[in-house]
Amino acid sequence: MDIDISSEEGTPLLSTTSNGVAAQPSQSQHTDDATRNQTGDSQGTKTPPAESSSVSGVQAPDGVDVYIPAGGANQQQPAARKRLDRRFLSTRITHKLLLLTALWQLCSVIMLTVLDQSVKASDIGSHPLSDDAYLAGVVLLCIFQGIHLFMLVIVSYKLGKQMLHHTASGSFLAQSYMSTIFLFAGVYTLVHRLNGNAFRGLDESLSRVDKRDYAFLCFIKLLYFSTATMTSTGFGDIFSQAWYLDFIVTCQMVLSVLYTTSIFAKGINTFMGGATSPASQTQHSQARHI
């Protein structure tokens, strides 16, 4: 009596005779199996059951066939490397945000100081836009502040995502707050260079300043005004008297409220022990991925 055991595809796997002797598959059956394996390799790679394969970090157990698309693993590596490089660059910027901001504004002040040397000392306080050197300083200052504003928008978006997921660090929040003060100080300097009558009380305090120190001391005065506005102090010795400058100051006031609320909430969360809870530790470990 003969017994045949076949697979679902009809290929004989084992046959026994009436004498109980197991018969091996014929040579033609081995040839058919080899042909099917070659056909499968043209579309992808199929790991044999006896071997284990790893696809994207997942280990395939013995006896399980894993289908790997041709070139799929190699195509994922460049994308993952780009994501890591982008995340590394983002981390480097956010960890040194305040330092980069201060250096950026310092470069703009040095640039204005150098260009002001070509302007007459008697004209430096009258904001002569007709002077080529003075106009060049205004144009370059526009470029500097535009780049700084673009960078701060990206940082604010990243900070908003972290605040939404409760993963924002105190250092990142404080550096963003101080960077906003530096940004508005640079914007106020640009407005003052365009219109000397935009601020009341500023030209009076700079009337006896030498032109070599005019750009630096003007920025320091407006940094003081920006800090007073951001902290809602408002001493009143320097204030706006132009409608567009009122709009810029209003924007800074709104940002001041948002930052103050976030910092206060962060302090309450730390004081109440929320930062040391297991859930908070898990969120902080995921902050670098946002």
Side-chain angles (χ1 to χ4, degrees), residues 5 35 38 67 85 114 118 130 154 159 195 216-217 236 258 263:
I5 302 177
T35 303
Q38 292 178 358
Y67 179 78
D85 294 340
V114 172
S118 302
S130 58
I154 296 177
L159 179 62
N195 184 8
F216 177 75
L217 293 179
L258 295 177
I263 293 174

Side-chain angles (χ1 to χ4, degrees), residues 8 13 34 45 54 56-57 71 124 160 198 209 223 239 241 253-254 261 263:
E8 294 179 357
L13 299 179
T45 305
S54 177
S56 301
I124 192 66
V209 174
L223 180 62
F239 57 91
Q241 56 181 11
M253 291 178 180
V254 173
T261 305
I263 293 174

Side-chain angles (χ1 to χ4, degrees), residues 234-246:
F235 290 109
D237 52 345
I238 301 175
F239 57 91
S240 166
Q241 56 181 11
W243 68 268
Y244 50 86
L245 188 56
D246 291 339

Side-chain angles (χ1 to χ4, degrees), residues 94-95 168-177 266:
T94 54
H95 286 179
S169 62
S171 174
F172 185 32
L173 187 59
Q175 291 190 70
S176 301
Y177 182 84
K266 182 70 176 179

Side-chain angles (χ1 to χ4, degrees), residues 148-165:
H148 191 180
L149 178 61
F150 177 75
M151 182 182 68
L152 193 62
V153 168
I154 296 177
V155 170
S156 299
Y157 173 74
K158 182 180 179 66
L159 179 62
K161 289 177 61 179
Q162 291 190 3
M163 292 298 297
L164 183 63
H165 294 83

Side-chain angles (χ1 to χ4, degrees), residues 107-185:
C107 289
S108 66
V109 172
I110 293 175
M111 174 200 66
L112 291 178
T113 303
V114 172
L115 292 174
D116 285 347
Q117 304 308 311
S118 302
V119 183
K120 294 181 180 180
S122 58
D123 297 338
I124 192 66
S126 59
H127 311 276
L129 292 176
S130 58
D131 188 277
D132 293 338
Y134 190 89
L135 183 61
V138 171
V139 172
L140 291 177
L141 191 59
C142 287
I143 297 175
F144 268 74
Q145 302 309 321
I147 295 175
H148 191 180
L149 178 61
F150 177 75
M151 182 182 68
L152 193 62
V153 168
I154 296 177
V155 170
S156 299
Y157 173 74
K158 182 180 179 66
L159 179 62
K161 289 177 61 179
Q162 291 190 3
M163 292 298 297
L164 183 63
H165 294 83
H166 305 284
T167 56
S169 62
S171 174
F172 185 32
L173 187 59
Q175 291 190 70
S176 301
Y177 182 84
M178 296 299 298
S179 297
T180 304
I181 295 178
F182 274 97
L183 171 63
F184 277 94

